[in-house]
Amino acid sequence: MNKHVFIKKFWDEGNVLYYFHFLNNYTVRQVEIEGNRIMRFSIKDNDFLYDQPLSAMEDIQDNNYISEQEFERVWHNQSLRNGVEIIEFGDIFAIEGVTSYAHGCNCAGAMGRGIAVQFKERFPAMYQEYYQLCKNRQFLPGDVFNYDYGKGHIYNLGTQDTWHTKARLPYVITALERMMEMAEHDGVETIALPAICAGLGGLNWSHIRRTIKDIARYHPNIYLYVVERFKKG
């Protein structure tokens, strides 16, 4: 018989309130709340979850146990802002209030396919700088070309060597971490990006989505909008 247990616990380190849903001693859903920001993780979405069983969880008191109803209220709470909002269909350039964007790039100077074409057409001066960096071998896998266009920033993520090679997960991780650090320095609070590396990049989207959510959890001042499939806004 399946045994469901729900835990609420505050960790002083990081000032984060956690909610856990354990099934048969292991985490299947997890909520992290920091300030007015909420992050949701689930085994269904292949996310990184608390990796210790409930039986090994330290300092659990009676008041840490909550009802399923309380957990569900938090899980579905719409009053808090999502740290990462996954949008199934949409247009990153049509999201209200967002002026900074990111996308995966090759390091050979080509923006001729996929959403890269939109970036090239919208920001031609950026493309010329990107092309020159690639030509001079100054934009390499894992790098981020941060372009300030006046109203926001474009984070060009070096995720592929060339346009005819696949992206590599280590490149994606390094570039995303650098992007988040740059955004914090730039004072950027929201970034919209497509499902990077899942199409022409050739990587498994569930792995990339998990990586994005895991990196975002360590940058609570930045909100990401991730559009999985393009639909004109």
Side-chain angles (χ1 to χ4, degrees), residues 1-210:
M1 183 177 179
N2 291 333
K3 182 180 180 181
H4 297 267
V5 176
F6 301 90
I7 297 288
K8 173 183 178 181
K9 194 166 186 358
F10 181 78
W11 260 272
D12 292 323
E13 184 179 353
N15 197 34
V16 181
L17 179 61
Y18 291 87
Y19 291 81
F20 299 99
H21 173 193
F22 289 93
L23 174 60
N24 297 331
N25 204 35
Y26 290 94
T27 315
V28 292
R29 288 187 295 170
Q30 179 176 327
V31 177
E32 300 174 10
I33 298 177
E34 186 170 358
N36 67 342
R37 177 182 189 261
I38 189 168
M39 294 283 290
R40 299 175 178 87
F41 304 90
S42 72
I43 194 170
K44 180 181 177 182
D45 291 333
N46 197 32
D47 293 329
F48 290 107
L49 298 168
Y50 183 73
D51 59 358
Q52 287 187 314
L54 175 60
S55 57
M57 202 171 187
E58 297 179 353
D59 302 323
I60 296 297
Q61 308 295 326
D62 288 344
N63 62 356
N64 293 126
Y65 291 91
I66 60 174
S67 66
E68 179 179 359
Q69 290 75 19
E70 181 175 349
F71 181 90
E72 293 297 341
R73 281 197 300 270
V74 174
W75 182 262
H76 296 288
N77 189 342
Q78 298 301 313
S79 67
L80 299 173
R81 191 172 183 184
N82 289 314
V84 177
E85 183 170 339
I86 305 295
I87 302 169
E88 186 175 0
F89 294 97
D91 179 353
I92 66 170
F93 299 111
I95 299 174
E96 186 177 356
V98 179
T99 58
S100 291
Y101 310 96
H103 68 130
C105 301
N106 63 71
C107 298
M111 288 189 181
R113 299 174 66 189
I115 196 170
V117 175
Q118 293 189 50
F119 279 93
K120 180 179 179 179
E121 292 175 349
R122 287 173 178 268
F123 308 100
M126 179 202 73
Y127 171 74
Q128 291 301 323
E129 287 190 36
Y130 154 78
Y131 177 81
Q132 197 62 45
L133 288 171
C134 293
K135 183 178 179 180
N136 296 335
R137 296 299 294 162
Q138 294 176 296
F139 181 65
L140 302 174
D143 287 349
V144 178
F145 168 37
N146 179 3
Y147 182 78
D148 183 347
Y149 71 97
K151 296 181 180 180
H153 290 253
I154 309 297
Y155 300 100
N156 299 273
L157 313 178
T159 56
Q160 295 172 243
D161 287 291
T162 71
W163 64 88
H164 53 77
T165 59
K166 291 185 178 181
R168 294 182 58 189
L169 187 58
Y171 298 163
V172 177
I173 293 171
T174 301
L176 284 171
E177 289 176 339
R178 287 176 174 172
M179 178 192 78
M180 298 298 272
E181 291 169 359
M182 289 177 177
E184 288 176 335
H185 181 267
D186 296 335
V188 169
E189 296 181 355
T190 56
I191 303 170
L193 63 158
I196 58 171
C197 305
L200 299 174
L203 297 184
N204 184 304
W205 171 235
S206 67
H207 295 164
I208 301 299
R209 181 178 58 197
R210 177 178 66 180

